[in-house]
Amino acid sequence: MSARNADTLIVGGGIIGLSIAWRLARTGHRVTVLERDTAGAHASRMAAGMLAATAEVGYEEFDLYALCTHSVIRWASFASELEEDSGIPVDFRSEGTMVVARDPDAARALRRAFEFQQEHGFEVQWLTRAEALEREPFLSPRIAAAVYAADDHSVDNRAVIHALVAAIRKLGGRVEEQTAVTEITMDASGSNHHVRTAPGNTEWTAPQIVLAAGAWSHGVPGLPDEVRPPVRPVKGQILTLRMEAPFKLEHVVRGARAYLVPRSDGRLVIGATSEEMGFNTELTAGGMWSILDGARELVPGVHDLPVMETNVGLRPGSRDHQPIVGWSAVPGLFVATGHYRHGVILSSATADAAADALLGRDMPTIMHPFSPTRFQTQA
Ligand SMILES: Cc1cc2nc3c(=O)[nH]c(=O)nc-3n(C[C@H](O)[C@H](O)[C@H](O)COP(=O)(O)OP(=O)(O)OC[C@H]3O[C@@H](n4cnc5c(N)ncnc54)[C@H](O)[C@@H]3O)c2cc1C
């Protein structure tokens, strides 16, 4: 059989495509990821790596909250299985998250969110200023209050990408980098779909195709129009500082205008703007200023830390800001995109559910609200 045949071809090698490939490769399934850049080079590399079900989810997003919670719980074993398969540590940290109110107005809003979270059974704890400072001494002494979310964790998403690529290859799967999909042709009889790639005008065939092209998912050439997912890029500017003694942050810290995510190797990731700017990836003074100013009012010590990196990523935002995961209306085409601000956290649940579907099993019911067919029904 030609090396360019597979059981499943995955278009896009971000954290979503790679996670699905890894879960499939573990079963002996012949899976190939086609990535036009290097694996994980886009949103998945730029992300902060928060696994934040509690702090991230809005008041009415119950289905998304259930999915995020399920994903975070799954992350502990997902991370250890990945470390085992790849031999690469992924810095899964379970210190929890401090959501901080900088002044009494912010504290009132935080209190409403806290009461809502408590009503719905989230693991949250109200902290006075003194209690918050005792847990995280580098917080500003001027903050008003904080909520401790015990179940909101973090992971080094870049390490996760390296680990996924290594694990897929060790398990016999393929990750083809610098390989851009230029045309998808879905076979009407549903059994032998074709994908063309550049450079080389190479043809690949498989009975199943997964569309996991992140912010570019809508525009992949050759997709039938009726199944093009309504996904757009949402720009995020983010930067990394280096923590230097005596400065050290133990928890993820979040405020209204910025979040700070410490890594065990001393990096401190600070993010992120959220901008509707199409595919623009320019770093701006205003973007950097707003997140640094937001971070400094919560944790003044960041002022003196050296800058290691500045970055811009494009989140794949769907029309309703919820992920799009499931079989499309075209037989053989599975969609896994639209993960917006939650692609790292949701990679675990998405990969499990997608692997179930692609291996011929039912998808877990928790994923049903996120089917791509919800947009067709609306149309
Ligand atoms: C600043 C920022 C901070 C974030 N922080 C967090 C966070 O803390 N926690 C969290 O859960 N999420 C976070 N996110 C969101 C998360 O990064 C995304 O939801 C996630 O990375 C999406 O993964 P993906 O694989 O769908 O997309 P991507 O990582 O963008 O991958 C898609 C891939 O498809 C490839 N591709 C596109 N078209 C083609 C083609 N024609 N042929 C071949 N390949 C193609 C691209 O090159 C790309 O590598 C953040 C995002 C940003 C930008």
Side-chain angles (χ1 to χ4, degrees):
M1 192 171 282
S2 152
R4 285 165 187 157
N5 288 347
D7 296 329
T8 297
L9 287 171
I10 300 184
V11 181
I15 198 164
I16 298 299
L18 294 171
S19 301
I20 296 170
W22 169 51
R23 298 314 291 178
L24 288 174
R26 280 192 128 214
T27 70
H29 194 84
R30 292 179 319 134
V31 60
T32 298
V33 179
L34 303 168
E35 165 55 50
R36 77 173 161 204
D37 207 322
T38 47
H42 292 280
S44 302
R45 177 177 163 79
M46 307 316 175
M50 290 177 294
L51 306 174
T54 311
E56 270 280 335
V57 176
Y59 282 104
E60 299 302 328
E61 295 178 315
F62 289 114
D63 290 334
L64 183 60
Y65 175 69
L67 186 64
C68 285
T69 308
H70 171 85
S71 295
V72 179
I73 293 168
R74 175 71 176 95
W75 249 102
S77 56
F78 197 76
S80 57
E81 288 163 19
L82 182 57
E83 288 178 341
E84 208 171 290
D85 283 0
S86 65
I88 296 174
V90 298
D91 196 20
F92 176 79
R93 293 173 58 122
S94 54
E95 286 83 357
T97 293
M98 312 265 284
V99 187
V100 176
R102 64 173 179 171
D103 57 26
D105 276 352
R108 274 189 286 279
L110 184 62
R111 187 80 204 179
R112 277 197 298 280
F114 167 74
E115 283 163 6
F116 170 84
Q117 289 164 342
Q118 268 200 322
E119 259 169 51
H120 291 89
F122 302 5
E123 190 59 46
V124 283
Q125 195 181 341
W126 184 262
L127 303 178
T128 62
R129 176 194 296 133
E131 288 166 341
L133 278 156
E134 199 175 316
R135 277 182 198 230
E136 193 58 87
F138 281 91
L139 286 176
S140 164
R142 299 169 72 172
I143 65 157
V147 165
Y148 174 62
D151 296 332
D152 282 3
H153 307 317
S154 72
V155 72
D156 181 347
N157 38 295
R158 294 185 183 178
V160 170
I161 290 161
H162 293 311
L164 285 167
V165 173
I168 294 164
R169 289 182 172 151
K170 271 192 189 173
L171 293 162
R174 296 176 66 166
V175 180
E176 300 289 333
E177 297 175 295
Q178 313 304 333
T179 302
V181 171
T182 53
E183 185 81 27
I184 295 181
T185 309
M186 298 305 293
D187 171 13
S189 72
S191 59
N192 211 13
H193 310 298
H194 300 273
V195 169
R196 204 163 273 287
T197 59
N201 198 24
T202 306
E203 189 166 271
W204 307 74
T205 61
Q208 309 186 121
I209 311 274
V210 177
L211 178 64
W216 297 269
S217 297
H218 180 80
V220 173
L223 280 178
D225 280 345
E226 68 274 20
V227 294
R228 283 188 187 279
V231 170
R232 68 186 194 289
V234 181
K235 177 178 176 182
Q237 303 189 47
I238 190 160
L239 77 157
T240 306
L241 308 182
R242 189 171 66 243
M243 292 190 277
E244 288 189 335
F247 181 97
K248 191 159 193 262
L249 218 55
E250 293 293 345
H251 303 84
V252 172
V253 172
R254 300 176 62 107
R257 295 197 296 145
Y259 53 71
L260 303 92
V261 184
R263 305 258 192 260
S264 303
D265 63 5
R267 282 175 292 153
L268 179 65
V269 180
I270 298 187
T273 64
S274 190
E275 304 165 64
E276 298 286 350
M277 296 286 288
F279 285 96
N280 172 302
T281 51
E282 242 167 24
L283 195 81
T284 64
M288 288 293 105
W289 179 84
S290 70
I291 52 177
L292 278 171
D293 193 49
R296 194 175 61 166
E297 72 186 359
L298 305 178
V299 182
V302 300
H303 187 91
D304 296 317
L305 301 183
V307 176
M308 293 177 73
E309 278 183 33
T310 53
N311 285 301
V312 180
L314 298 174
R315 306 173 183 90
S318 73
R319 197 183 294 154
D320 59 9
H321 284 171
Q322 316 256 336
I324 307 175
V325 180
W327 289 111
S328 73
V330 170
L333 181 68
F334 190 90
V335 180
T337 187
H339 289 77
Y340 188 41
R341 303 162 62 101
H342 307 116
V344 180
I345 181 172
L346 291 178
S347 55
S348 59
T350 300
D352 286 345
D356 277 345
L358 293 158
L359 294 169
R361 303 191 287 250
D362 288 339
M363 293 246 288
T365 51
I366 200 160
M367 199 57 94
H368 289 180
F370 306 102
S371 162
T373 55
R374 71 186 184 275
F375 298 110
Q376 280 157 6
T377 313
Q378 279 171 12

